[in-house]
Amino acid sequence: MTGRLPPHFLWGTATAAHQVEGNNVHSDCWALEHAEPSLFLEPSGDAADHYRRYEEDIGIVADLGLNAYRFSVEWARVEPEAGHVSEVALDHYCRMAEACLSRGIAPVVTLHHFTQPRWLARRGGFAAPDFPQLFAEQAARVVRALDGIALVCTINELNLPAIAAPYFRGRATAEQRAAAERALGAPLSAFFLHADEEAIFGNGLAAHRAARAAIRAERAGLAVGMTLAISEEHAEPGAEAVRDRRRELYYAPFLNAASEDDFVGVQTYSRMTSRADGSVGVIAGGTATTMGWEDRPEAIGAVCEWIASRWSVPMIVTENGYVGDDDARRAEFIAAAVAGVQGAMAKGADVRGYLYWSLLDNFEWMLGYRQRFGLVSPGGVGQARQVKASARTLSALAAG
């Protein structure tokens, strides 16, 4: 299994199509953004215009001396209507992979990063009986079309809806929910971020397995895995059982499933603290990011150590980053996070790569454009790219 992974450590960065490409008009998310009243603070619009400017952006990755770039293939572009496959869209993603390869960058491709075609949402999204089959067909056509892919991530953060359902559902007023369901032509649960646990633990895992089989049938040597949202889990005295229940509910079933994969993508941003009263939240009085998360770069190393203590599947950090406007703090965060990963590796964690989230300041879903993770700011006239100092920190770490 481990022979499928690249022999060298992957240093890179990541994006998701809907968050950076712009004008993804056939997706379920685009419909929800334009509902009235909307769950979203603002629509994605042109986003960072990455669909047109991918060569420039991949050039930045190369200039930083990074050797991996994770991007997603937007299903809603490839199959805008059921059964209609756009060869033009597939050609576009082929060119993206080629732009990476020509610069010595390993293309890491994600097949489902939260969004999906509207027609699929109308059929129920993850809850649709034929979702696993449809997703496997999409996986096969993408890996058949794109040459030189280094790794494939099937579904991004498959476990996230189970963890964050109370947050996402709590944000929706009755009026927003009604507007969203009119826009989707389906229950709001058809949108991945609002999917229910039954759909995720059932069809979600089944779709991952079906896509994995389809990918291996097309390209036997291609490494495949899923990515998971995993926080460092801390417990106040007396709350250890609460913490352990969270781990067993939200992480363990997916990590068990990943034992048949070539790797698991670990996506960690912060730490959650379980309290003796059964509640879970951020430690009071600590430093917080603009998202309200605990500012804790050490979290990623702790998560890698915990996974290695129970599972033997190789890990790639497919997302880790700092959200905020203070780029000096972002640089410090990156250095501390990488040190944490290296410390976990020294203790035996099988980590094969570190991909920072995100290459670009982007559309942060329901929170719009106010939350900034990027190494690069697309701002000003014509969205001119401004490489931040924190990008140089990652570049120096990659250079050793």
Side-chain angles (χ1 to χ4, degrees), residues 21 51 73-80 85-96 145-146:
E21 285 184 343
Y51 195 84
V73 171
E74 183 56 60
W75 191 351
R77 292 187 188 273
V78 174
E79 193 177 10
V85 175
S86 171
E87 296 298 332
V88 170
L90 281 173
D91 286 346
H92 167 82
Y93 292 111
C94 286
R95 291 193 297 275
M96 286 191 69
L146 274 65

Side-chain angles (χ1 to χ4, degrees), residues 237-250:
E240 291 82 4
V242 178
R243 175 202 61 200
D244 293 347
R245 281 197 299 271
R246 284 176 55 81
R247 284 175 166 169
E248 294 308 307
L249 176 61
Y250 297 135

Side-chain angles (χ1 to χ4, degrees), residues 207-241:
H208 166 69
R209 290 190 294 267
R212 182 182 64 206
I215 291 164
R216 288 177 175 170
E218 289 290 336
R219 301 206 174 188
L222 181 56
V224 58
M226 62 180 136
T227 78
L228 299 175
I230 307 180
S231 296
E232 179 188 2
E233 294 288 343
H234 174 68
E236 293 181 348
E240 291 82 4

Side-chain angles (χ1 to χ4, degrees), residues 147-298:
D147 289 326
I149 302 172
L151 309 167
V152 177
C153 306
T154 57
I155 300 171
N156 184 71
E157 295 186 338
L158 178 56
N159 63 328
L160 182 62
I163 300 170
Y167 169 78
F168 290 125
R169 292 168 191 164
R171 287 181 58 86
T173 66
E175 293 80 6
Q176 288 173 327
R177 180 175 290 276
E181 294 186 344
R182 287 194 300 271
L184 279 181
L188 187 52
S189 59
F191 180 50
F192 176 78
L193 293 177
H194 286 257
D196 59 34
E197 291 186 9
E198 183 178 352
I200 296 304
F201 283 95
N203 267 7
L205 281 170
H208 166 69
R209 290 190 294 267
R212 182 182 64 206
I215 291 164
R216 288 177 175 170
E218 289 290 336
R219 301 206 174 188
L222 181 56
V224 58
M226 62 180 136
T227 78
L228 299 175
I230 307 180
S231 296
E232 179 188 2
E233 294 288 343
H234 174 68
E236 293 181 348
E240 291 82 4
V242 178
R243 175 202 61 200
D244 293 347
R245 281 197 299 271
R246 284 176 55 81
R247 284 175 166 169
E248 294 308 307
L249 176 61
Y250 297 135
Y251 311 139
F254 300 92
L255 288 164
N256 289 340
S259 65
E260 299 178 43
D261 296 343
D262 299 301
F263 69 93
V264 62
V266 180
Q267 306 197 165
T268 299
Y269 290 93
S270 187
R271 175 172 70 170
M272 298 300 292
T273 296
S274 294
R275 307 184 183 99
D277 63 4
S279 64
V280 179
V282 177
I283 291 178
T287 304
T289 67
T290 57
M291 198 84 88
W293 301 337
E294 182 182 357
D295 181 349
R296 184 170 169 79
E298 298 85 359

Side-chain angles (χ1 to χ4, degrees), residues 315-393:
M315 291 172 266
I316 295 172
V317 177
T318 42
E319 288 185 24
N320 173 252
Y322 174 81
V323 57
D325 299 322
D326 184 347
D327 192 57
R329 177 54 192 158
R330 179 173 293 104
E332 294 170 351
F333 185 102
I334 291 169
V338 168
V341 172
Q342 291 171 332
M345 293 169 68
K347 295 176 182 178
D350 185 4
V351 184
R352 306 293 184 88
Y354 178 88
L355 310 183
Y356 177 83
W357 182 271
S358 172
L359 173 62
L360 298 160
D361 287 333
N362 58 33
F363 179 68
E364 193 51 42
W365 307 109
M366 284 172 264
L367 300 178
Y369 287 103
R370 303 177 192 181
Q371 303 296 332
R372 297 178 176 87
F373 287 90
L375 299 172
V376 177
S377 173
V381 177
Q383 297 209 57
R385 274 37 179 169
Q386 301 170 19
V387 179
K388 302 177 187 179
S390 56
R392 306 301 176 190
T393 297

